[in-house]
Amino acid sequence: GAVVSQHPSWVICKSGTSVKIECRSLDFQATTMFWYRQFPKQSLMLMATSNEGSKATYEQGVEKDKFLINHASLTLSTLTVTSAHPEDSSFYICSAKVQITQYFGPGTRLTVL
Amino acid sequence: AQTVTQSQPEMSVQEAETVTLSCTYDTSENNYYLFWYKQPPSRQMILVIRQEAYKQQNATENRFSVNFQKAAKSFSLKISDSQLGDTAMYFCAFYFGNEKLTFGTGTRLTIIP
């Protein structure tokens, strides 16, 4: 149990375009999901907390208008990187909380050309 | 704010040997949770083990066990009979209340055949 999926697993886009990443809890309902960003050889950096039916809570320094988060159902949260630029290239990971334990998706590698 | 420290950036051990990864944390809270996650080359974050601070008994999961020293704020992970598949980044993490998960910087573990 507690399986989290992400789609796509990798994406390449042109600078200035928008990219949407989906995070799904496959066998449970998740009122709270999280979005992380991970740079090479570093730990996970929390970007935002996504709550079903309400606005996401962003960490300090994360641009709300650039990283749009929608948690429209108990099994789906989406992260849209708007007007992507090369500096947005990174590995993005989502997680979903079951009671107090977070289970992670496999991640999405975004490359912006 | 809570902090998590992993003082061993890299470790290596021969296959079948035992290895211990260290983790210390700083908190003024009493009831919290500690986790070890592994991130193999696939970059999928996998829960290894969880410890509730109110439990004195150390958590175990097959070849993985922890040495939880609450007074010393120490939470080490022992991997017995190490296998090639244990090669990964290992992250120690702290959780309290409804706050975010706080990660350490990670330890890169290599199992040598």
Side-chain angles (χ1 to χ4, degrees):
Chain A
V3 179
V4 177
S5 70
Q6 266 183 257
H7 179 81
S9 56
W10 59 271
V11 57
I12 301 173
C13 69
K14 292 182 178 180
S15 185
T17 62
S18 294
V19 174
K20 180 185 284 189
I21 302 170
E22 292 186 348
C23 178
R24 293 181 185 273
S25 57
L26 297 186
D27 51 0
F28 64 99
Q29 293 183 330
T31 55
T32 305
M33 290 184 171
F34 304 86
W35 287 96
Y36 294 86
R37 184 172 180 176
Q38 187 179 33
F39 293 101
K41 297 185 179 181
Q42 292 189 23
S43 188
L44 279 68
M45 181 185 74
L46 180 65
M47 298 175 65
T49 301
S50 169
N51 296 297
E52 187 268 336
S54 65
K55 290 184 178 181
T57 303
Y58 291 81
E59 294 298 301
Q60 193 171 6
V62 177
E63 299 177 60
K64 302 178 184 181
D65 295 333
K66 182 165 193 60
F67 298 100
L68 300 179
I69 291 172
N70 187 297
H71 194 157
S73 78
L74 287 172
T75 59
L76 174 64
S77 176
T78 59
L79 168 68
T80 301
V81 183
T82 63
S83 185
H85 290 285
E87 56 266 29
D88 299 324
S89 298
S90 193
F91 191 67
Y92 294 87
I93 307 174
C94 73
S95 72
K97 194 165 72 167
V98 178
Q99 296 183 343
I100 58 96
T101 301
Q102 287 190 30
Y103 295 92
F104 290 82
T108 297
R109 172 166 296 286
L110 169 64
T111 301
V112 184
L113 302 177
Chain B
Q2 287 81 14
T3 59
V4 177
T5 302
Q6 292 180 251
S7 59
Q8 305 152 312
E10 294 188 19
M11 295 184 73
S12 61
V13 66
Q14 292 284 345
E15 188 177 7
E17 292 186 348
T18 295
V19 62
T20 299
L21 309 182
S22 66
C23 172
T24 58
Y25 56 94
D26 187 25
T27 185
S28 59
E29 305 298 340
N30 190 47
N31 294 318
Y32 49 86
Y33 299 82
L34 295 162
F35 303 85
W36 278 99
Y37 285 90
K38 66 180 280 188
Q39 188 179 39
S42 67
R43 302 192 76 173
Q44 165 81 63
M45 291 283 285
I46 301 167
L47 175 67
V48 175
I49 204 163
R50 179 181 104 175
Q51 174 79 44
E52 293 87 346
Y54 63 85
K55 290 186 177 179
Q56 291 186 338
Q57 186 173 8
N58 289 323
T60 62
E61 286 288 341
N62 300 313
R63 297 182 296 107
F64 299 87
S65 61
V66 297
N67 183 1
F68 173 48
Q69 300 291 327
K70 191 173 184 179
K73 298 179 183 176
S74 171
F75 183 61
S76 61
L77 174 70
K78 185 172 82 170
I79 305 174
S80 303
D81 185 26
S82 57
Q83 301 174 359
L84 296 179
D86 296 333
T87 292
M89 278 289 287
Y90 286 81
F91 292 100
C92 178
F94 174 99
Y95 177 84
F96 168 74
N98 206 27
E99 297 180 2
K100 61 184 180 182
L101 200 57
T102 302
F103 287 95
T105 52
T107 296
R108 182 173 301 279
L109 176 65
T110 302
I111 308 301
I112 303 167

